[in-house]
Amino acid sequence: MSTDPPVGIHDLNFATTSLVLTHDELARHTGANPAKYRHGIGQTSMSIPAADEDIVTLAANAAAPVIGRHGTDGIRTLLFATESGIDQSKAAGVYVHRLLGLHRNVRVVELKQACYGATAALQLARALVLTDPDQQVLVLASDIARYDLDSPGEATQGAAAAALLIAARPAIAVLNTPSGLYTRDVMDFWRPTYRSTPLVDGKKSVDTYLEALTATWHDYRARGGLPFEKLRALCYHQPFTRMAHKAHHHLLKTVGTTPTSQAVIEAIGATTGYNEAIGNSYTASVHLALASLLDSDAPLDGETIGLFSYGSGSVAEFLTATVVPGYRTALRTGAHRRGITDRTPLTYDAYRALHGRLLPTDGREHLLPHQTDGTYRLAGVNAHQRLYTATPDRSSQAPCEDQYDEPRRNEVRAAHSREATGHERLAQHGRPGFPPTRSG
Ligand code: CAA
């Protein structure tokens, strides 16, 4: 009999962007029937990153409250999963490591396999904690889903980061074995390194998602996984929330049950709330589905939840987690809901202007307007380096500047002091539909 301690999710927090575009506003300009967005793909709005937000700031904003609650002492590894990477060499997690003031004796690495990356990170984290149950692993899933304007994917954009602290004897959910796995080389969605938006075969991607669901389920069962009836709810990767409906309908058929709308709603109804409002957050999406379920009224103590993770290209996994009795005391329901309701709505024109922004590549100094509400922001770029700062009035929680060596510390301070002038230089700033510049 195993003497291993249970390992799983000890804390879970997510952060999204400061700005939002509603699908009604999008429909007014694309000419689409709003019902297509609301019911056909199941989205009401999508998070849009401000000029000074990126996957690093989102991840740091998601992780800071986790560090605030649990401290840094137990963390020996930071795994950063993303498919919207900002550097082809340096792991985005190294910036977050500094922004959060983590110890130097920590390993940091970035993982990529489309929307599946964070699930691989969870499994690695679980294995690491099993080798030494005194250590914790911080898993960060952070992505910005950005498609070409006027493409079918445009309505399925979004952005968010989830921070999961993986530990022995977790407070929220135990990660179980076995899991079901599936990989097939398929071109349904990919982004060559020279592109800022992906290439997508939308219909094929839906089909390969469903094919991977069937395959992972069969593998999960063949390895001794629980029968379908034992799963209280299912959290699917949600590129758009109707996909979870399609997936569950498909799984019901796979297990030999006649699919009904009621059976689908019972299994997934509580998992789609956050993603409906945030949109696709790629590798964070399945964790937002889990957060939505945990934050709902459904009593889940001791219940086992199925999780299906799909990353185009494609790799998929079906796994389960058992909710720890008393889990509610560890949740962050209020903060999650505020993160969604506090976003500033964009006009369509402002959204398009933001969408068109790309950081310059000439290596010159370029300061960004202060638009974000978050603690951490991308102040600008200089000499091909990203300059991250913490909002000064919250800097007690954000020891980022102190962790810089002297030359970079001076550079960041100088960027802070030049910020006001930078605002004035930026053409978009002050146009109708843009949020006011934050002070401080
Ligand atoms: N009222 C209600 N429903 C309506 C409607 C109306 N007025 N008009 C259309 N609809 C329905 C359609 O019937 C359709 O429903 P079904 O899928 O059930 O048939 C749905 O709305 C979508 O309509 P279309 O198929 O015409 O939509 P589209 O051509 O705009 O493409 C999409 C939809 C393929 C998902 C596209 O948004 C896309 O390419 N998205 C990006 C790729 C993606 O998300 N793929 C998902 C699987 S891959 C993955 O999961 C990884 C990842 O994160 C990317």
Side-chain angles (χ1 to χ4, degrees), residues 33 35-36 39-41 83 115 147 152-153 156 188-189 200 202-203 205-206 209 237 239-240 242-243 246 280 282 310 312:
N33 186 331
K36 172 179 171 177
H39 306 296
I41 62 169
E83 62 172 297
C115 309
Y147 291 86
T156 66
D188 60 329
F189 172 109
V200 195
K203 304 294 175 203
S205 72
V206 170
Y209 177 119
H237 167 55
F240 51 95
R242 276 305 288 183
M243 191 68 226
K246 286 181 195 288
N280 197 355
Y282 290 158
Y310 175 76
S312 288

PDB file of all heavy atoms in Angstrom, residues 33 35-36 39-41 83 115 147 152-153 156 188-189 200 202-203 205-206 209 237 239-240 242-243 246 280 282 310 312, ligand 1:
ATOM      1  N   ASN A  33     -24.977  38.181 -36.089  1.00  0.00           N
ATOM      2  CA  ASN A  33     -26.120  38.137 -35.180  1.00  0.00           C
ATOM      3  C   ASN A  33     -25.581  37.908 -33.760  1.00  0.00           C
ATOM      4  O   ASN A  33     -24.847  36.938 -33.525  1.00  0.00           O
ATOM      5  CB  ASN A  33     -27.031  36.977 -35.613  1.00  0.00           C
ATOM      6  CG  ASN A  33     -28.318  36.955 -34.811  1.00  0.00           C
ATOM      7  OD1 ASN A  33     -28.359  37.380 -33.656  1.00  0.00           O
ATOM      8  ND2 ASN A  33     -29.375  36.463 -35.450  1.00  0.00           N
ATOM      9  N   ALA A  35     -26.819  36.627 -31.351  1.00  0.00           N
ATOM     10  CA  ALA A  35     -27.185  35.285 -30.856  1.00  0.00           C
ATOM     11  C   ALA A  35     -26.131  34.240 -31.238  1.00  0.00           C
ATOM     12  O   ALA A  35     -25.945  33.241 -30.538  1.00  0.00           O
ATOM     13  CB  ALA A  35     -28.543  34.869 -31.403  1.00  0.00           C
ATOM     14  N   LYS A  36     -25.453  34.490 -32.334  1.00  0.00           N
ATOM     15  CA  LYS A  36     -24.388  33.549 -32.726  1.00  0.00           C
ATOM     16  C   LYS A  36     -23.298  33.530 -31.658  1.00  0.00           C
ATOM     17  O   LYS A  36     -22.808  32.466 -31.263  1.00  0.00           O
ATOM     18  CB  LYS A  36     -23.798  33.942 -34.079  1.00  0.00           C
ATOM     19  CG  LYS A  36     -22.570  33.101 -34.421  1.00  0.00           C
ATOM     20  CD  LYS A  36     -21.952  33.416 -35.755  1.00  0.00           C
ATOM     21  CE  LYS A  36     -20.630  32.678 -35.889  1.00  0.00           C
ATOM     22  NZ  LYS A  36     -20.002  32.866 -37.173  1.00  0.00           N
ATOM     23  N   HIS A  39     -25.094  32.314 -28.081  1.00  0.00           N
ATOM     24  CA  HIS A  39     -25.537  30.914 -28.010  1.00  0.00           C
ATOM     25  C   HIS A  39     -24.694  29.986 -28.882  1.00  0.00           C
ATOM     26  O   HIS A  39     -24.396  28.866 -28.482  1.00  0.00           O
ATOM     27  CB  HIS A  39     -27.019  30.801 -28.400  1.00  0.00           C
ATOM     28  CG  HIS A  39     -27.896  31.706 -27.587  1.00  0.00           C
ATOM     29  ND1 HIS A  39     -28.052  31.560 -26.225  1.00  0.00           N
ATOM     30  CD2 HIS A  39     -28.637  32.797 -27.943  1.00  0.00           C
ATOM     31  CE1 HIS A  39     -28.860  32.518 -25.767  1.00  0.00           C
ATOM     32  NE2 HIS A  39     -29.217  33.282 -26.791  1.00  0.00           N
ATOM     33  N   GLY A  40     -24.338  30.469 -30.088  1.00  0.00           N
ATOM     34  CA  GLY A  40     -23.597  29.593 -31.009  1.00  0.00           C
ATOM     35  C   GLY A  40     -22.204  29.250 -30.510  1.00  0.00           C
ATOM     36  O   GLY A  40     -21.746  28.113 -30.616  1.00  0.00           O
ATOM     37  N   ILE A  41     -21.489  30.256 -29.969  1.00  0.00           N
ATOM     38  CA  ILE A  41     -20.176  29.949 -29.393  1.00  0.00           C
ATOM     39  C   ILE A  41     -20.164  30.094 -27.867  1.00  0.00           C
ATOM     40  O   ILE A  41     -19.217  29.685 -27.213  1.00  0.00           O
ATOM     41  CB  ILE A  41     -19.038  30.778 -30.034  1.00  0.00           C
ATOM     42  CG1 ILE A  41     -19.230  32.270 -29.801  1.00  0.00           C
ATOM     43  CG2 ILE A  41     -18.883  30.478 -31.514  1.00  0.00           C
ATOM     44  CD1 ILE A  41     -17.992  33.090 -30.186  1.00  0.00           C
ATOM     45  N   GLU A  83       1.502  29.513 -24.449  1.00  0.00           N
ATOM     46  CA  GLU A  83       1.730  29.375 -25.886  1.00  0.00           C
ATOM     47  C   GLU A  83       1.786  30.755 -26.518  1.00  0.00           C
ATOM     48  O   GLU A  83       1.768  30.879 -27.733  1.00  0.00           O
ATOM     49  CB  GLU A  83       0.649  28.505 -26.534  1.00  0.00           C
ATOM     50  CG  GLU A  83      -0.758  29.036 -26.434  1.00  0.00           C
ATOM     51  CD  GLU A  83      -1.729  28.220 -27.271  1.00  0.00           C
ATOM     52  OE1 GLU A  83      -1.591  28.178 -28.510  1.00  0.00           O
ATOM     53  OE2 GLU A  83      -2.623  27.630 -26.678  1.00  0.00           O
ATOM     54  N   CYS A 115      -2.598  24.685 -25.697  1.00  0.00           N
ATOM     55  CA  CYS A 115      -3.391  24.856 -24.466  1.00  0.00           C
ATOM     56  C   CYS A 115      -3.160  23.734 -23.460  1.00  0.00           C
ATOM     57  O   CYS A 115      -3.736  23.755 -22.365  1.00  0.00           O
ATOM     58  CB  CYS A 115      -4.865  24.931 -24.813  1.00  0.00           C
ATOM     59  SG  CYS A 115      -5.227  26.136 -26.086  1.00  0.00           S
ATOM     60  N   TYR A 147      -6.321  36.521 -32.213  1.00  0.00           N
ATOM     61  CA  TYR A 147      -6.504  36.032 -33.581  1.00  0.00           C
ATOM     62  C   TYR A 147      -6.512  37.227 -34.542  1.00  0.00           C
ATOM     63  O   TYR A 147      -6.669  38.378 -34.111  1.00  0.00           O
ATOM     64  CB  TYR A 147      -7.838  35.287 -33.711  1.00  0.00           C
ATOM     65  CG  TYR A 147      -7.887  33.967 -32.959  1.00  0.00           C
ATOM     66  CD1 TYR A 147      -8.244  33.915 -31.620  1.00  0.00           C
ATOM     67  CD2 TYR A 147      -7.574  32.772 -33.599  1.00  0.00           C
ATOM     68  CE1 TYR A 147      -8.291  32.705 -30.932  1.00  0.00           C
ATOM     69  CE2 TYR A 147      -7.615  31.559 -32.927  1.00  0.00           C
ATOM     70  CZ  TYR A 147      -7.976  31.542 -31.592  1.00  0.00           C
ATOM     71  OH  TYR A 147      -8.012  30.343 -30.928  1.00  0.00           O
ATOM     72  N   PRO A 152     -12.627  34.150 -38.356  1.00  0.00           N
ATOM     73  CA  PRO A 152     -13.606  33.423 -37.527  1.00  0.00           C
ATOM     74  C   PRO A 152     -13.162  33.292 -36.068  1.00  0.00           C
ATOM     75  O   PRO A 152     -13.981  33.245 -35.165  1.00  0.00           O
ATOM     76  CB  PRO A 152     -13.683  32.045 -38.198  1.00  0.00           C
ATOM     77  CG  PRO A 152     -13.195  32.248 -39.584  1.00  0.00           C
ATOM     78  CD  PRO A 152     -12.212  33.385 -39.539  1.00  0.00           C
ATOM     79  N   GLY A 153     -11.844  33.274 -35.851  1.00  0.00           N
ATOM     80  CA  GLY A 153     -11.354  33.116 -34.476  1.00  0.00           C
ATOM     81  C   GLY A 153     -11.490  34.377 -33.634  1.00  0.00           C
ATOM     82  O   GLY A 153     -11.391  34.320 -32.403  1.00  0.00           O
ATOM     83  N   THR A 156     -13.351  34.500 -30.487  1.00  0.00           N
ATOM     84  CA  THR A 156     -12.939  33.546 -29.441  1.00  0.00           C
ATOM     85  C   THR A 156     -11.613  33.969 -28.804  1.00  0.00           C
ATOM     86  O   THR A 156     -10.867  33.124 -28.314  1.00  0.00           O
ATOM     87  CB  THR A 156     -12.845  32.099 -29.991  1.00  0.00           C
ATOM     88  OG1 THR A 156     -11.786  32.031 -30.957  1.00  0.00           O
ATOM     89  CG2 THR A 156     -14.141  31.652 -30.631  1.00  0.00           C
ATOM     90  N   ASP A 188      -4.099  21.693 -36.858  1.00  0.00           N
ATOM     91  CA  ASP A 188      -5.412  22.324 -36.662  1.00  0.00           C
ATOM     92  C   ASP A 188      -5.264  23.772 -36.197  1.00  0.00           C
ATOM     93  O   ASP A 188      -6.130  24.608 -36.424  1.00  0.00           O
ATOM     94  CB  ASP A 188      -6.270  21.518 -35.682  1.00  0.00           C
ATOM     95  CG  ASP A 188      -5.666  21.380 -34.300  1.00  0.00           C
ATOM     96  OD1 ASP A 188      -4.426  21.359 -34.179  1.00  0.00           O
ATOM     97  OD2 ASP A 188      -6.434  21.272 -33.319  1.00  0.00           O
ATOM     98  N   PHE A 189      -4.152  24.078 -35.549  1.00  0.00           N
ATOM     99  CA  PHE A 189      -3.916  25.410 -34.974  1.00  0.00           C
ATOM    100  C   PHE A 189      -2.432  25.464 -34.666  1.00  0.00           C
ATOM    101  O   PHE A 189      -1.922  24.578 -33.973  1.00  0.00           O
ATOM    102  CB  PHE A 189      -4.759  25.527 -33.697  1.00  0.00           C
ATOM    103  CG  PHE A 189      -4.500  26.756 -32.860  1.00  0.00           C
ATOM    104  CD1 PHE A 189      -5.443  27.767 -32.779  1.00  0.00           C
ATOM    105  CD2 PHE A 189      -3.335  26.889 -32.117  1.00  0.00           C
ATOM    106  CE1 PHE A 189      -5.223  28.881 -31.990  1.00  0.00           C
ATOM    107  CE2 PHE A 189      -3.104  27.998 -31.337  1.00  0.00           C
ATOM    108  CZ  PHE A 189      -4.050  28.999 -31.271  1.00  0.00           C
ATOM    109  N   VAL A 200      -5.241  28.843 -38.213  1.00  0.00           N
ATOM    110  CA  VAL A 200      -6.260  27.971 -37.623  1.00  0.00           C
ATOM    111  C   VAL A 200      -7.119  27.338 -38.695  1.00  0.00           C
ATOM    112  O   VAL A 200      -7.566  28.033 -39.607  1.00  0.00           O
ATOM    113  CB  VAL A 200      -7.225  28.768 -36.704  1.00  0.00           C
ATOM    114  CG1 VAL A 200      -8.029  27.827 -35.820  1.00  0.00           C
ATOM    115  CG2 VAL A 200      -6.505  29.802 -35.888  1.00  0.00           C
ATOM    116  N   GLY A 202     -10.448  26.022 -38.140  1.00  0.00           N
ATOM    117  CA  GLY A 202     -11.405  25.970 -37.032  1.00  0.00           C
ATOM    118  C   GLY A 202     -12.192  24.684 -36.962  1.00  0.00           C
ATOM    119  O   GLY A 202     -12.292  24.059 -35.905  1.00  0.00           O
ATOM    120  N   LYS A 203     -12.757  24.272 -38.076  1.00  0.00           N
ATOM    121  CA  LYS A 203     -13.607  23.067 -38.067  1.00  0.00           C
ATOM    122  C   LYS A 203     -12.772  21.833 -37.722  1.00  0.00           C
ATOM    123  O   LYS A 203     -13.186  20.979 -36.946  1.00  0.00           O
ATOM    124  CB  LYS A 203     -14.286  22.862 -39.429  1.00  0.00           C
ATOM    125  CG  LYS A 203     -15.115  24.034 -39.898  1.00  0.00           C
ATOM    126  CD  LYS A 203     -16.335  24.272 -39.012  1.00  0.00           C
ATOM    127  CE  LYS A 203     -17.070  25.540 -39.447  1.00  0.00           C
ATOM    128  NZ  LYS A 203     -17.895  26.138 -38.404  1.00  0.00           N
ATOM    129  N   SER A 205     -10.109  21.810 -35.982  1.00  0.00           N
ATOM    130  CA  SER A 205      -9.692  21.861 -34.575  1.00  0.00           C
ATOM    131  C   SER A 205     -10.786  21.325 -33.658  1.00  0.00           C
ATOM    132  O   SER A 205     -10.505  20.656 -32.663  1.00  0.00           O
ATOM    133  CB  SER A 205      -9.281  23.286 -34.177  1.00  0.00           C
ATOM    134  OG  SER A 205     -10.395  24.143 -34.085  1.00  0.00           O
ATOM    135  N   VAL A 206     -12.036  21.600 -34.008  1.00  0.00           N
ATOM    136  CA  VAL A 206     -13.144  21.066 -33.200  1.00  0.00           C
ATOM    137  C   VAL A 206     -13.176  19.545 -33.321  1.00  0.00           C
ATOM    138  O   VAL A 206     -13.322  18.816 -32.326  1.00  0.00           O
ATOM    139  CB  VAL A 206     -14.488  21.706 -33.649  1.00  0.00           C
ATOM    140  CG1 VAL A 206     -15.670  21.003 -32.995  1.00  0.00           C
ATOM    141  CG2 VAL A 206     -14.499  23.203 -33.325  1.00  0.00           C
ATOM    142  N   TYR A 209     -10.235  17.991 -31.406  1.00  0.00           N
ATOM    143  CA  TYR A 209     -10.496  18.096 -29.969  1.00  0.00           C
ATOM    144  C   TYR A 209     -11.369  16.900 -29.539  1.00  0.00           C
ATOM    145  O   TYR A 209     -11.076  16.214 -28.542  1.00  0.00           O
ATOM    146  CB  TYR A 209     -11.189  19.446 -29.719  1.00  0.00           C
ATOM    147  CG  TYR A 209     -11.636  19.773 -28.311  1.00  0.00           C
ATOM    148  CD1 TYR A 209     -11.123  20.867 -27.634  1.00  0.00           C
ATOM    149  CD2 TYR A 209     -12.620  19.025 -27.676  1.00  0.00           C
ATOM    150  CE1 TYR A 209     -11.557  21.202 -26.349  1.00  0.00           C
ATOM    151  CE2 TYR A 209     -13.061  19.346 -26.392  1.00  0.00           C
ATOM    152  CZ  TYR A 209     -12.534  20.432 -25.747  1.00  0.00           C
ATOM    153  OH  TYR A 209     -12.964  20.755 -24.485  1.00  0.00           O
ATOM    154  N   HIS A 237     -11.362  21.931 -21.387  1.00  0.00           N
ATOM    155  CA  HIS A 237     -10.721  23.094 -22.010  1.00  0.00           C
ATOM    156  C   HIS A 237     -11.801  23.834 -22.794  1.00  0.00           C
ATOM    157  O   HIS A 237     -12.564  23.220 -23.549  1.00  0.00           O
ATOM    158  CB  HIS A 237      -9.583  22.644 -22.931  1.00  0.00           C
ATOM    159  CG  HIS A 237      -9.103  23.751 -23.822  1.00  0.00           C
ATOM    160  ND1 HIS A 237      -8.676  24.952 -23.315  1.00  0.00           N
ATOM    161  CD2 HIS A 237      -9.021  23.854 -25.174  1.00  0.00           C
ATOM    162  CE1 HIS A 237      -8.354  25.758 -24.318  1.00  0.00           C
ATOM    163  NE2 HIS A 237      -8.549  25.107 -25.454  1.00  0.00           N
ATOM    164  N   PRO A 239     -12.123  26.681 -25.382  1.00  0.00           N
ATOM    165  CA  PRO A 239     -11.700  27.713 -26.334  1.00  0.00           C
ATOM    166  C   PRO A 239     -12.844  28.698 -26.570  1.00  0.00           C
ATOM    167  O   PRO A 239     -12.621  29.859 -26.905  1.00  0.00           O
ATOM    168  CB  PRO A 239     -11.386  26.926 -27.605  1.00  0.00           C
ATOM    169  CG  PRO A 239     -12.116  25.632 -27.460  1.00  0.00           C
ATOM    170  CD  PRO A 239     -12.192  25.347 -26.006  1.00  0.00           C
ATOM    171  N   PHE A 240     -14.049  28.221 -26.434  1.00  0.00           N
ATOM    172  CA  PHE A 240     -15.300  29.000 -26.360  1.00  0.00           C
ATOM    173  C   PHE A 240     -16.229  28.050 -25.611  1.00  0.00           C
ATOM    174  O   PHE A 240     -16.079  26.820 -25.678  1.00  0.00           O
ATOM    175  CB  PHE A 240     -15.816  29.389 -27.761  1.00  0.00           C
ATOM    176  CG  PHE A 240     -15.909  28.244 -28.730  1.00  0.00           C
ATOM    177  CD1 PHE A 240     -17.094  27.558 -28.920  1.00  0.00           C
ATOM    178  CD2 PHE A 240     -14.782  27.808 -29.438  1.00  0.00           C
ATOM    179  CE1 PHE A 240     -17.168  26.481 -29.808  1.00  0.00           C
ATOM    180  CE2 PHE A 240     -14.844  26.736 -30.316  1.00  0.00           C
ATOM    181  CZ  PHE A 240     -16.048  26.073 -30.503  1.00  0.00           C
ATOM    182  N   ARG A 242     -19.240  26.965 -25.747  1.00  0.00           N
ATOM    183  CA  ARG A 242     -20.064  25.939 -26.418  1.00  0.00           C
ATOM    184  C   ARG A 242     -19.263  24.675 -26.663  1.00  0.00           C
ATOM    185  O   ARG A 242     -19.814  23.594 -26.832  1.00  0.00           O
ATOM    186  CB  ARG A 242     -20.597  26.452 -27.765  1.00  0.00           C
ATOM    187  CG  ARG A 242     -21.844  27.270 -27.725  1.00  0.00           C
ATOM    188  CD  ARG A 242     -23.021  26.639 -27.057  1.00  0.00           C
ATOM    189  NE  ARG A 242     -23.639  25.556 -27.824  1.00  0.00           N
ATOM    190  CZ  ARG A 242     -24.721  24.907 -27.433  1.00  0.00           C
ATOM    191  NH1 ARG A 242     -25.304  25.204 -26.292  1.00  0.00           N
ATOM    192  NH2 ARG A 242     -25.222  23.940 -28.186  1.00  0.00           N
ATOM    193  N   MET A 243     -17.945  24.822 -26.727  1.00  0.00           N
ATOM    194  CA  MET A 243     -17.095  23.648 -26.963  1.00  0.00           C
ATOM    195  C   MET A 243     -17.251  22.648 -25.810  1.00  0.00           C
ATOM    196  O   MET A 243     -17.215  21.431 -26.031  1.00  0.00           O
ATOM    197  CB  MET A 243     -15.637  24.091 -27.107  1.00  0.00           C
ATOM    198  CG  MET A 243     -14.701  23.022 -27.610  1.00  0.00           C
ATOM    199  SD  MET A 243     -14.993  22.529 -29.322  1.00  0.00           S
ATOM    200  CE  MET A 243     -14.943  20.758 -29.164  1.00  0.00           C
ATOM    201  N   LYS A 246     -20.398  20.772 -26.512  1.00  0.00           N
ATOM    202  CA  LYS A 246     -20.155  19.778 -27.576  1.00  0.00           C
ATOM    203  C   LYS A 246     -19.370  18.595 -27.019  1.00  0.00           C
ATOM    204  O   LYS A 246     -19.645  17.439 -27.346  1.00  0.00           O
ATOM    205  CB  LYS A 246     -19.320  20.394 -28.706  1.00  0.00           C
ATOM    206  CG  LYS A 246     -20.023  21.357 -29.627  1.00  0.00           C
ATOM    207  CD  LYS A 246     -19.002  21.836 -30.685  1.00  0.00           C
ATOM    208  CE  LYS A 246     -19.452  23.044 -31.446  1.00  0.00           C
ATOM    209  NZ  LYS A 246     -20.531  22.806 -32.395  1.00  0.00           N
ATOM    210  N   ASN A 280     -11.171  32.819 -24.466  1.00  0.00           N
ATOM    211  CA  ASN A 280     -10.162  31.762 -24.423  1.00  0.00           C
ATOM    212  C   ASN A 280      -8.908  32.264 -23.698  1.00  0.00           C
ATOM    213  O   ASN A 280      -8.413  33.356 -23.996  1.00  0.00           O
ATOM    214  CB  ASN A 280      -9.795  31.322 -25.850  1.00  0.00           C
ATOM    215  CG  ASN A 280      -9.073  29.981 -25.877  1.00  0.00           C
ATOM    216  OD1 ASN A 280      -8.759  29.406 -24.828  1.00  0.00           O
ATOM    217  ND2 ASN A 280      -8.818  29.477 -27.066  1.00  0.00           N
ATOM    218  N   TYR A 282      -6.430  29.926 -23.407  1.00  0.00           N
ATOM    219  CA  TYR A 282      -5.557  28.827 -23.806  1.00  0.00           C
ATOM    220  C   TYR A 282      -5.209  27.910 -22.622  1.00  0.00           C
ATOM    221  O   TYR A 282      -6.087  27.253 -22.079  1.00  0.00           O
ATOM    222  CB  TYR A 282      -4.289  29.384 -24.459  1.00  0.00           C
ATOM    223  CG  TYR A 282      -4.455  30.030 -25.824  1.00  0.00           C
ATOM    224  CD1 TYR A 282      -3.502  30.949 -26.283  1.00  0.00           C
ATOM    225  CD2 TYR A 282      -5.507  29.734 -26.674  1.00  0.00           C
ATOM    226  CE1 TYR A 282      -3.603  31.544 -27.542  1.00  0.00           C
ATOM    227  CE2 TYR A 282      -5.611  30.329 -27.937  1.00  0.00           C
ATOM    228  CZ  TYR A 282      -4.659  31.229 -28.361  1.00  0.00           C
ATOM    229  OH  TYR A 282      -4.746  31.816 -29.602  1.00  0.00           O
ATOM    230  N   TYR A 310      -6.889  19.928 -23.713  1.00  0.00           N
ATOM    231  CA  TYR A 310      -6.567  19.722 -25.125  1.00  0.00           C
ATOM    232  C   TYR A 310      -5.665  20.835 -25.637  1.00  0.00           C
ATOM    233  O   TYR A 310      -5.996  22.020 -25.479  1.00  0.00           O
ATOM    234  CB  TYR A 310      -7.844  19.692 -25.982  1.00  0.00           C
ATOM    235  CG  TYR A 310      -7.529  19.603 -27.458  1.00  0.00           C
ATOM    236  CD1 TYR A 310      -7.110  18.390 -28.013  1.00  0.00           C
ATOM    237  CD2 TYR A 310      -7.573  20.723 -28.294  1.00  0.00           C
ATOM    238  CE1 TYR A 310      -6.770  18.299 -29.357  1.00  0.00           C
ATOM    239  CE2 TYR A 310      -7.241  20.646 -29.639  1.00  0.00           C
ATOM    240  CZ  TYR A 310      -6.835  19.423 -30.158  1.00  0.00           C
ATOM    241  OH  TYR A 310      -6.478  19.326 -31.484  1.00  0.00           O
ATOM    242  N   SER A 312      -3.923  22.053 -29.165  1.00  0.00           N
ATOM    243  CA  SER A 312      -3.889  21.806 -30.608  1.00  0.00           C
ATOM    244  C   SER A 312      -2.505  21.362 -31.056  1.00  0.00           C
ATOM    245  O   SER A 312      -1.496  21.714 -30.457  1.00  0.00           O
ATOM    246  CB  SER A 312      -4.252  23.090 -31.367  1.00  0.00           C
ATOM    247  OG  SER A 312      -5.611  23.362 -31.225  1.00  0.00           O
TER     248      SER A 312
HETATM  249  N1  CAA B   1     -27.985  31.862 -33.264  1.00  0.00           N
HETATM  250  C1  CAA B   1     -27.496  30.785 -32.607  1.00  0.00           C
HETATM  251  N2  CAA B   1     -26.461  30.051 -33.074  1.00  0.00           N
HETATM  252  C2  CAA B   1     -25.871  30.446 -34.209  1.00  0.00           C
HETATM  253  C3  CAA B   1     -26.322  31.579 -34.933  1.00  0.00           C
HETATM  254  C4  CAA B   1     -27.428  32.296 -34.409  1.00  0.00           C
HETATM  255  N3  CAA B   1     -27.903  33.369 -35.025  1.00  0.00           N
HETATM  256  N4  CAA B   1     -25.556  31.701 -36.030  1.00  0.00           N
HETATM  257  C5  CAA B   1     -24.630  30.683 -35.995  1.00  0.00           C
HETATM  258  N5  CAA B   1     -24.843  29.942 -34.896  1.00  0.00           N
HETATM  259  C6  CAA B   1     -24.094  28.768 -34.462  1.00  0.00           C
HETATM  260  C7  CAA B   1     -23.724  27.827 -35.594  1.00  0.00           C
HETATM  261  O1  CAA B   1     -24.819  26.977 -35.934  1.00  0.00           O
HETATM  262  C8  CAA B   1     -22.567  27.080 -34.977  1.00  0.00           C
HETATM  263  O2  CAA B   1     -23.047  26.092 -34.107  1.00  0.00           O
HETATM  264  P1  CAA B   1     -22.498  24.576 -34.205  1.00  0.00           P
HETATM  265  O3  CAA B   1     -21.002  24.645 -34.017  1.00  0.00           O
HETATM  266  O4  CAA B   1     -23.180  23.882 -33.097  1.00  0.00           O
HETATM  267  O5  CAA B   1     -22.856  24.098 -35.565  1.00  0.00           O
HETATM  268  C9  CAA B   1     -21.884  28.153 -34.136  1.00  0.00           C
HETATM  269  O6  CAA B   1     -22.825  29.193 -33.967  1.00  0.00           O
HETATM  270  C10 CAA B   1     -20.638  28.716 -34.766  1.00  0.00           C
HETATM  271  O7  CAA B   1     -20.983  29.135 -36.039  1.00  0.00           O
HETATM  272  P2  CAA B   1     -20.004  28.903 -37.267  1.00  0.00           P
HETATM  273  O8  CAA B   1     -19.591  27.473 -37.327  1.00  0.00           O
HETATM  274  O9  CAA B   1     -20.611  29.504 -38.462  1.00  0.00           O
HETATM  275  O10 CAA B   1     -18.797  29.797 -36.730  1.00  0.00           O
HETATM  276  P3  CAA B   1     -17.480  30.234 -37.352  1.00  0.00           P
HETATM  277  O11 CAA B   1     -17.319  29.890 -38.781  1.00  0.00           O
HETATM  278  O12 CAA B   1     -17.427  31.662 -37.008  1.00  0.00           O
HETATM  279  O13 CAA B   1     -16.345  29.386 -36.566  1.00  0.00           O
HETATM  280  C11 CAA B   1     -15.028  28.520 -34.818  1.00  0.00           C
HETATM  281  C12 CAA B   1     -16.444  28.954 -35.234  1.00  0.00           C
HETATM  282  C13 CAA B   1     -14.530  27.430 -35.772  1.00  0.00           C
HETATM  283  C14 CAA B   1     -15.051  27.984 -33.427  1.00  0.00           C
HETATM  284  C15 CAA B   1     -14.099  29.756 -34.915  1.00  0.00           C
HETATM  285  O14 CAA B   1     -14.491  30.684 -33.948  1.00  0.00           O
HETATM  286  C16 CAA B   1     -12.629  29.434 -34.731  1.00  0.00           C
HETATM  287  O15 CAA B   1     -11.924  29.099 -35.655  1.00  0.00           O
HETATM  288  N6  CAA B   1     -12.116  29.561 -33.452  1.00  0.00           N
HETATM  289  C17 CAA B   1     -10.700  29.325 -33.143  1.00  0.00           C
HETATM  290  C18 CAA B   1     -10.368  27.852 -33.082  1.00  0.00           C
HETATM  291  C19 CAA B   1     -11.005  27.156 -31.907  1.00  0.00           C
HETATM  292  O16 CAA B   1     -11.378  27.751 -30.926  1.00  0.00           O
HETATM  293  N7  CAA B   1     -11.077  25.824 -31.994  1.00  0.00           N
HETATM  294  C20 CAA B   1     -11.597  25.019 -30.897  1.00  0.00           C
HETATM  295  C21 CAA B   1     -10.944  23.655 -30.812  1.00  0.00           C
HETATM  296  S1  CAA B   1      -9.156  23.800 -30.791  1.00  0.00           S
HETATM  297  C22 CAA B   1      -8.776  24.163 -29.170  1.00  0.00           C
HETATM  298  O17 CAA B   1      -9.559  23.943 -28.298  1.00  0.00           O
HETATM  299  C23 CAA B   1      -7.459  24.806 -28.884  1.00  0.00           C
HETATM  300  C24 CAA B   1      -7.633  26.271 -28.733  1.00  0.00           C
HETATM  301  O18 CAA B   1      -7.847  26.761 -27.621  1.00  0.00           O
HETATM  302  C25 CAA B   1      -7.561  27.121 -29.913  1.00  0.00           C
END
